[in-house]
Amino acid sequence: MSKFARVLLDDSGGRVFDYGIPEAAAAVVAVGSRVRVPVRMRALLGTVIAVSETTEAEGIREISEVMSAEPTMSAQLIRLAEWVANYYCCPLEAALRSVLPGVIRKAEVGHKKRLVARIAREVSEEEIATIRKRAPNQAEVIVTLLAAKTPMLVSEIAEKCSVAPQTIRALEKKGLLSVEPETVARDPHGSETFVPNSKLELNVEQTVVFARVLAAIAANGLEPAPKPMLLHGVTGSGKTEIYLQAIQQVLDRGESAILLVPEISLTPQTVERFKSRFAATQHEVAVLHSHLSEGERHDEWHRIRSGAARVVIGARSAVFAPVEKLGIVIVDEEHENTYKQEEMPRYHGRDLAVLRGHMEKCAVLLGSATPSLESYHHAVAGKYELLRLTVRVDDQKMPFIRIVDMRMEAKKSSPIISDPLAKAITARLEKKEQVILFLNRRGFSTTLLCGKCGYVHECPNCSISLTFHRAANRVVCHMCGHLAVAPTKCPGCKDPGIKYTGTGTEKVEDTVCKFFPKAVVKRMDADVMQRREAYRETLNAFRTGKIDILVGTQMIAKGLHFPNVTLVGIVNADMGLHLPDFRASERTFQLLTQVAGRAGRGDVEGEVVVQSYTPFHPAIQFARHHDFEGFYEQEIEWRQKMGQPPFTHFVLITVRSPHQERGRFSTETLHRRLKEALPKNVTLGEFAPAPLEKSHGNFRFHIAIRAHAITKVSRMIRDVLDKLTMPEDVFAVVDVDAIQLL
Ligand code: ADP
Ligand code: ZN
């Protein structure tokens, strides 16, 4: 034994041991290798995280098995995981779990093997005739295979010739056929065909932007790494075309590309666009998202790892895709909150994309119509290169946005569909154009209130009120999923006068149907779109004009292109505006701009009607004038004054417990320890009950920390937590660069 491997064991709470590397395996064991090692009487799986010439451990044992000849994870991805662990204050094991999906870790899930039959030797006509006399089925199989001219799946032959597998086995025994298991990739899009499409001629603005992107790609691998680029392009300005051509360039250089998109916009439409483009050049595209089966995920991962697929499209975790020779990482809709993982490790996909690009010295391109304040701030400060697309392709005008003051209108007309909105819908329907109505809340009524005793029907596990879903006749908690039959009288005082108030998409659909009885109305939200095909079906029906009005949640807000949609109505623009969250304005501005971007993508100018009770709020007014810079300047000034991100890192510690007093007490202790440990330049807020005080039966408390440099602070927090023993039913969660503040 001349070398030693440091092995992090799977599912062991982060235990690390040194093992000897057997001479025979010396050449194959490297950082990232998956190995089986002896631990007491058992053999466990683990990952090699370091290799060295010496060890201080005693009683060294040897690695008993190396799971594959090549390291399963590249050394670079291990470094990325280490960075994640240090920055986001979590165990390395948790970070590695993101890098290596569960199905790849589990040694037992292999490639899918299926039996394939082929003709083993020449067969003459006479011979076939002889066989036909005694066994017509066998002859049929031979004839079919000869006609096919290629090997066929045994299952396929069996079906085509209506024979039992034994018939094929019998031919194998005779030496006429050979039957062998072969790896068949499970391609989630295998049954679809993609019409190749070729690149478009770029317009003037696109050409300027693309030249910068090409320059960055040309600098791949050089020192210093190219600056990340932020592409601020209005909706419909042709950002995606830039992504497509940038990826083509990277492929031509023999490199690979990763494109991150928000899970929600990983629609068939998006995937199709990319598959089709690269179908023309015979390049394979791998798709990673949360709806893949284990087998599909396994196969996509190996297609990427082996270099068969050099374009990866996926949700946030695709930032860990095991590509070699990374040429570009693109993050579409970089401002999207779904890039932040809300469970351990709580990383931000966009920030990791920037980091990975830096580590691998390759181009990074972030794109958005409404960049996050963080990214735009970096661009203004010169850390990122700012690229702009200011006009829509073909010079289409930005939609006209009208604000309806609901303080006046709701009294005169309907609080759901005001007169101006109703008139606009009527006008569009008459012209056979299509309408989208947006409300970011599911269900029928959002609150059940007793008019007599004031009782509000809350979830027993969470401090939010239950939402009434009329179609199911249930009240549902949107936090924990608690479900109950809708009450007909007040659960408190038993008065039958219980009122259902507040509006969800179900009620909007209902109202629209009453207002426009002749129109075809469809709703699209998580309640009606539980089947994956339902989503596709509804979108197709909408695209082909079979639906007049589409009512939906944020599911319809992003990334969809429907040229015949000329009117978008935003039912309640104020919904997210008054939450106790320093990003509330930013989110409202982004959402309004994105939703408005769905209007008028064809030849007809689009129109947006925004209903609001606070029509003069800056987020609404800047969105109305399509003025991102104006919004940015006002908002960034406020953030600076308040010491909020991007001027600080915001760390949120949530302590939760089913037992209120124990939770409170532990929070207090933790707060005291942090006060002692953290340096003066770190701002430690007072501890307090979380805005969402109770969730899933747990009481929740918050401690907020603001710091300029985070990695050191992360380690200090970790140390404090490690030394603190908490009661068994109290848990603390550290969220670095937190997005979810409730
Ligand atoms: P974005 O990603 O900024 O929303 P897209 O790339 O989706 O914009 O472009 C919007 C539409 O314009 C798409 O239908 C796209 O095919 C088309 N398009 C983009 N660039 C060009 C171009 N240079 N010439 C013609 N059509 C284009
Ligand atoms: Zn609940």
Side-chain angles (χ1 to χ4, degrees), residues 459 461-462 477 479-482:
C459 172
N461 314 315
C462 310
C477 172
M479 191 62 63
C480 73
H482 171 85

Side-chain angles (χ1 to χ4, degrees), residues 152-267:
M152 286 174 75
L153 288 176
V154 167
S155 56
E156 206 181 335
I157 301 173
E159 196 189 309
K160 213 165 174 183
C161 310
S162 333
V163 298
Q166 290 90 301
T167 312
I168 297 163
R169 284 281 171 209
L171 285 166
E172 191 191 6
K173 279 209 187 96
K174 285 186 184 156
L176 283 165
L177 295 188
S178 70
V179 178
E180 262 153 27
E182 281 183 18
T183 303
V184 181
R186 280 156 291 211
D187 181 350
H189 298 272
S191 57
E192 298 154 44
T193 49
F194 296 96
V195 185
N197 71 22
S198 46
K199 66 177 187 187
L200 302 170
E201 183 136 0
L202 298 180
N203 64 26
V204 177
E205 271 195 336
Q206 283 175 316
T207 308
V208 174
V209 166
F210 192 54
R212 303 303 309 153
V213 176
L214 284 183
I217 293 173
N220 277 352
L222 305 179
E223 267 320 330
K227 254 190 207 179
M229 296 166 281
L230 175 64
L231 173 55
H232 176 207
V234 298
T235 45
S237 60
K239 295 185 291 296
T240 311
E241 185 59 31
I242 300 273
Y243 306 157
L244 285 160
Q245 298 198 18
I247 294 173
Q248 187 61 56
Q249 171 70 12
V250 161
L251 290 172
D252 291 345
R253 289 167 51 99
E255 299 165 344
S256 313
I258 297 177
L259 168 70
L260 300 187
V261 298
E263 178 87 44
I264 197 158
S265 57
L266 203 51
T267 57

Side-chain angles (χ1 to χ4, degrees), residues 33-58:
S33 292
R34 296 279 296 159
V35 293
R36 206 185 288 281
V37 290
V39 180
R40 298 219 187 84
M41 302 304 288
R42 297 195 298 158
L44 300 180
L45 285 171
T47 307
V48 175
I49 55 170
V51 172
S52 65
E53 307 281 327
T54 55
T55 176
E56 265 144 44
E58 284 166 19

Side-chain angles (χ1 to χ4, degrees), residues 236-432:
S237 60
K239 295 185 291 296
T240 311
E241 185 59 31
I242 300 273
Y243 306 157
L244 285 160
Q245 298 198 18
I247 294 173
Q248 187 61 56
Q249 171 70 12
V250 161
L251 290 172
D252 291 345
R253 289 167 51 99
E255 299 165 344
S256 313
I258 297 177
L259 168 70
L260 300 187
V261 298
E263 178 87 44
I264 197 158
S265 57
L266 203 51
T267 57
Q269 244 182 342
T270 314
V271 172
E272 197 178 300
R273 204 163 161 196
F274 282 82
K275 287 232 176 196
S276 310
R277 176 63 59 91
F278 300 112
T281 49
Q282 308 288 316
H283 283 293
E284 285 186 47
V285 177
V287 181
L288 297 173
H289 57 76
S290 62
H291 292 298
L292 294 183
S293 69
E294 278 219 325
E296 285 172 344
R297 189 180 305 280
H298 172 273
D299 291 355
E300 290 294 78
W301 196 89
H302 280 283
R303 251 157 39 86
I304 299 166
R305 184 78 176 99
S306 69
R310 286 198 284 135
V311 181
V312 181
I313 304 180
R316 59 173 177 264
S317 64
V319 74
F320 297 112
V323 301
E324 301 277 344
K325 283 205 280 183
L326 188 57
I328 193 166
V329 193
I330 302 172
V331 185
D332 188 26
E333 311 280 7
E334 65 86 25
H335 64 279
E336 274 290 329
N337 292 332
T338 55
Y339 284 124
K340 178 82 157 117
Q341 170 141 305
E342 294 296 350
E343 57 189 58
M344 202 164 67
R346 297 176 168 258
Y347 65 86
H348 199 299
R350 178 242 297 149
D351 295 346
L352 285 191
V354 171
L355 180 80
R356 184 161 178 196
H358 181 76
M359 280 179 164
E360 308 204 13
K361 296 194 182 53
C362 74
V364 176
L365 177 60
L366 314 177
S368 174
T370 50
S372 63
L373 253 71
E374 281 85 351
S375 296
Y376 204 77
H377 180 66
H378 288 324
V380 170
K383 250 177 91 177
Y384 295 173
E385 182 173 356
L386 186 60
L387 310 173
R388 278 202 177 90
L389 293 174
T390 58
V391 291
R392 292 172 122 184
V393 174
D394 291 342
D395 281 334
Q396 287 162 19
K397 285 213 203 89
M398 296 302 280
F400 178 76
I401 301 183
R402 183 148 36 122
I403 315 284
V404 176
D405 186 345
M406 292 304 278
R407 294 172 303 184
M408 323 286 284
E409 284 298 331
K411 288 191 210 113
K412 289 194 287 183
S413 50
S414 152
I416 297 169
I417 308 286
S418 65
D419 266 346
L421 180 54
K423 286 206 182 92
I425 296 176
T426 308
R428 296 297 167 176
L429 291 180
E430 272 167 12
K431 286 194 238 168
K432 297 263 172 286

Side-chain angles (χ1 to χ4, degrees), residues 435-455:
V435 178
I436 285 180
L437 293 179
F438 173 83
L439 180 70
N440 211 5
R441 186 168 288 170
R442 295 180 286 130
F444 193 84
S445 302
T446 51
T447 314
L448 278 73
L449 182 79
C450 175
K452 198 166 166 210
C453 73
Y455 178 93

